[in-house]
Amino acid sequence: MSENTAVSKPDTRDDAALLPPVDVIEDASGITLYADLAGVPKDKLHLHVEGDALTIEGDVDLEIPAGMESNHAEVSLARYRRVFTLSKELDSSKVGAEFKNGVLKLSIHKAEHAQPRKVQVKGL
């Protein structure tokens, strides 16, 4: 898996997005990604797998209480977006997702041909 850094068009204010921090852990069965998506409710989280591209998108939903306004904001973009290119060793049809406390956990299993296997030796 690698992060897709190709940009097809320049970012405009409408297209600009935060890159969520992501941890990637690999084991014998596949990879697990943990993405921090603070302020994104489950109904505004969107995951797409198309070909070898995995896209994580989420709209931040931080409400300002009535009668108040923000006079300082360190995060000015209200959207996360990150695109990864999945290797041929991963089976993009076997993606599992969990979302809890602002953390997205994605599990992607390795393709059958990339799974470790034991070879039985026969005696004569």
Side-chain angles (χ1 to χ4, degrees):
M1 184 183 85
S2 65
E3 187 169 348
N4 185 353
T5 56
V7 177
S8 58
K9 62 181 180 176
D11 280 344
T12 63
R13 194 66 181 151
D14 293 336
D15 293 337
L18 297 168
L19 286 174
V22 175
D23 293 330
V24 180
I25 300 168
E26 182 175 4
D27 62 19
S29 65
I31 63 169
T32 303
L33 287 87
Y34 294 93
D36 293 330
L37 300 163
V40 176
K42 185 180 175 188
D43 63 330
K44 293 192 178 184
L45 175 63
H46 307 284
L47 304 173
H48 308 281
V49 177
E50 187 172 334
D52 63 351
L54 166 68
T55 303
I56 301 169
E57 293 180 301
D59 295 321
V60 177
D61 191 14
L62 297 175
E63 294 183 26
I64 298 174
M68 298 184 91
E69 65 181 58
S70 174
N71 62 2
H72 175 77
E74 292 187 7
V75 178
S76 60
L77 301 174
R79 180 180 145 189
Y80 290 103
R81 185 171 196 279
R82 189 119 181 221
V83 180
F84 294 93
T85 301
L86 302 176
S87 76
K88 302 294 182 212
E89 292 182 353
L90 298 173
D91 187 349
S92 62
S93 68
K94 295 183 180 175
V95 178
E98 295 176 35
F99 189 57
K100 184 177 179 184
N101 298 327
V103 178
L104 173 66
K105 176 184 175 185
L106 287 174
S107 301
I108 307 172
H109 295 283
K110 285 187 179 175
E112 190 67 34
H113 71 275
Q115 291 280 345
R117 62 184 186 277
K118 188 174 182 179
V119 177
Q120 183 115 15
V121 179
K122 296 180 182 179
L124 299 176

